[in-house]
């Protein structure tokens, strides 16, 4: 299918567990998409699906008016955006870099300033909803950046997500994402302790979970993570090392603001113990094993 | 309206914030209902709605085949069930006492044994869903007791709630409720810390909450409690003293089982501080004020 000439050319850098299904959705919506990943093996499935394979982030940018980035941490974003073969080397004026990675807001703002000096706009647009949400195009997208950039990106965001909120200027999306991770990661402790008490009391924990989902304890995390805890199935989707990284970002922000977040601090301790005991690549639901020990 | 002769006569003892709307729903469904409350002023609205006013819990029991109880703590349940004018004095054999109160499972089992010696069955059937859920008849009901009692109560439970789960034998419903309160109360800390970080970072916390509700951080508690935190409106529905009581029950159970629940323990500390600072009658969302201090 020849892509519609009305649709802007998109780029996608980072084709991991989240990036790949997001890029696939953009292709399926008819956008011309140029992709790149540091692990070249990840490119082929997208190329077979109609994407152009870019040689580098710079090459992706040279063919795109909006360049999406979905990588792991601040260093990785700096490399693909500002590095020697980075987006900044190939992007034209008026390009928008949309970074979906979860990194620190201050790091993201620094990168946005560097880009702006070259006439390139940036949005931080971290997401929540996991791999299933990415595949279904139902992510929550928390966007930070100018009104104008948001308006230009909105049609694309609508392909990727269902709940799309322009939180504020550059960095604001990442602050919202930190809030998201606090709520989610702390809630996960509550789910783990509830399921542990049910199990140790001799109840059927799945039956308890079913009852809880009908009342005020209902949450997406309880629904998705409790069964993994009960089955001890941590062959995970969102690896605990990512939540560990995220909660440290949130605590660093709190420290800079001079506020204490005691439940987040407790969660960071439990996630630290999980990393030390070899659970870094396990699903984050494995915090259950630390509480159950 | 003359009640249908096919419907059993019900009793309801305890007409507080939760009990009154539950009793009203039973009346509205056509059941003959005899009610009683220690605070007599609470009886009149129900009597005006067609309920018979019982002089005592014993009198309620004498007119009912299923007697519902919804009071605050173990001592109150013991009084209305086993006290000198208690249900046990008026109930016939085959009566079922359905206790919706949130009390300790061990206390409830003791009461059930005392009743069983008189040929009276008991179910613990604590609920979740708050005052709105009680009014709408959409509560989650976690039931503990015999299969036979559950089968007899099920049509009545269907009037009161939407998610109805028979968890196990006597006491099992209350264990599930303790799990419910752990998940809910710990989650509330996560919601509070997320909203605090959003606010102190200069974002619009309602916009952040909206974004979070679209992803993995979505929960009933975030949805209902975050706006109260943001507006500092703690003219509460579920008073914090009740959550304080509930988390202590859960921690006592954990202690008896030899397990540690670190997030629940943290929640109990924060709720203790809230009690000490005059927040016992405030909505439980007021834990926000302890974290924000």
């Amino acid at each position: 299918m020849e892509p519609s000439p009305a649709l802007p050319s998109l780029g996608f850098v980072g084709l991991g567990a989240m990036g790949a299904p997001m890029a696939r959705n953009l292709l399926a919506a008819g956008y011309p998409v140029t992709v790149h990943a540091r692990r070249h093996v990840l490119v082929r499935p997208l190329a077979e699906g109609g994407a152009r394979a870019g040689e580098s982030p710079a090459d992706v940018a040279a063919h795109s008016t909006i360049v999406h980035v979905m990588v792991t941490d601040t260093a990785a974003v700096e490399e693909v955006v500002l590095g020697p073969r980075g987006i900044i080397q190939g992007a034209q004026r008026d390009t928008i870099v949309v970074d979906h990675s979860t990194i620190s807001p201050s790091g993201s703002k620094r990168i946005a300033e560097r880009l702006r000096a070259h006439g390139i706009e940036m949005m931080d647009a971290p997401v929540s909803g996991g791999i299933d949400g990415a595949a279904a195009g139902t992510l929550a997208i928390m966007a930070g950046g100018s009104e104008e950039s948001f308006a230009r990106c909105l049609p694309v965001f609508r392909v990727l997500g269902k709940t799309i909120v322009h939180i504020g200027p550059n960095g604001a999306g990442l602050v919202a994402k930190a809030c998201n991770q606090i709520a989610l990661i702390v809630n996960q402790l509550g789910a783990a302790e509830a399921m542990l008490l049910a199990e140790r009391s001799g109840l059927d924990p799945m039956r308890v979970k079913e009852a809880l989902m009908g009342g005020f304890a209902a949450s997406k995390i309880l629904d998705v993570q409790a069964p993994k805890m009960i089955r001890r199935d941590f062959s995970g989707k969102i690896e605990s090392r990512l939540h560990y990284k995220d909660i440290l970002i949130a605590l660093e922000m709190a420290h800079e603001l001079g506020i204490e977040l005691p439940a987040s601090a407790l969660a960071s301790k439990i996630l630290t113990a999980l990393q030390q005991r070899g659970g870094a690549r396990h699903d984050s639901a494995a915090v259950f094993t630390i509480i159950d020990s």
Side-chain angles (χ1 to χ4, degrees), chain A:
Chain A
M1 185 181 82
E2 200 60 21
S4 154
L7 293 176
S9 298
L10 305 180
F12 214 109
V13 178
L15 301 171
M18 293 293 289
M22 293 169 74
R24 267 196 294 275
N25 283 338
L26 297 175
L27 280 170
Y31 287 95
V33 183
T34 304
V35 301
H36 181 77
R38 283 175 295 179
R39 288 171 287 166
H40 190 72
V41 65
L42 299 176
V43 172
R44 187 185 294 179
L46 273 295
E48 286 170 0
R52 183 182 166 282
E55 285 170 19
S56 64
D59 182 45
V60 170
H63 291 83
S64 314
T65 59
I66 301 177
V67 188
H68 298 259
V69 175
M70 181 54 124
V71 293
T72 303
D73 54 23
T74 309
V77 176
E78 277 173 346
E79 190 196 325
V80 304
V81 176
L82 304 176
R85 304 184 70 204
I87 290 166
I88 198 169
Q89 307 296 335
Q92 301 131 61
R93 284 186 164 267
D94 254 14
T95 298
I96 304 177
V97 175
V98 176
D99 183 20
H100 298 293
S101 319
T102 297
I103 64 175
S104 80
S106 54
S108 181
K109 279 195 273 193
R110 270 200 317 272
I111 296 167
E113 279 161 26
R114 289 280 303 277
L115 286 172
R116 189 164 295 128
H118 287 71
I120 303 164
E121 280 296 308
M122 174 153 159
M123 294 209 86
D124 46 303
V127 301
S128 184
I131 295 167
D132 293 342
T138 57
L139 293 166
I141 301 178
M142 303 153 229
S146 71
E147 288 285 354
E148 194 200 336
S149 297
F150 181 73
R152 279 181 61 199
C153 294
L154 189 55
V156 183
F157 288 159
R158 290 210 172 109
V159 174
L160 301 172
K162 203 172 67 175
T163 305
I164 297 149
V165 184
H166 186 202
I167 305 284
N170 281 117
L174 283 162
V175 176
K177 177 67 188 267
C179 298
N180 187 83
Q181 298 306 81
I182 288 172
L184 182 168
I185 292 167
V186 171
N187 188 16
Q188 195 161 248
L189 299 185
E193 294 190 2
M195 289 303 102
L196 181 63
L197 185 66
E199 196 179 280
R200 291 292 185 91
S201 299
L203 303 186
D204 173 355
M206 277 307 284
R207 211 179 279 198
V208 174
K209 180 251 178 187
E210 182 197 339
L212 268 50
M213 282 305 296
F216 262 164
S219 69
K220 184 88 177 162
I221 279 292
L222 180 70
D223 200 30
V224 171
Q225 302 291 69
K228 300 182 197 170
M229 295 172 183
I230 294 166
R231 294 193 309 262
R232 310 293 197 269
D233 171 12
F234 306 124
S235 55
K237 299 211 160 183
I238 297 299
E239 297 178 350
S240 79
R241 68 190 172 92
L242 299 174
H243 279 177
Y244 175 61
K245 173 201 71 159
D246 294 350
I247 203 72
L248 293 183
I249 291 175
L251 287 169
E252 195 187 312
M253 290 168 59
H255 182 73
E256 283 168 13
L257 292 164
I259 55 179
E260 274 191 68
L261 302 177
S264 301
L266 174 64
S268 83
K269 275 185 210 159
I270 290 170
L271 281 163
T272 301
L274 182 57
Q275 308 310 296
Q276 289 167 344
R277 295 192 204 171
R281 299 260 171 193
H282 292 170
D283 188 282
S284 176
V287 293
F288 180 84
T289 62
I290 301 299
I291 290 169
D292 179 24
S293 63

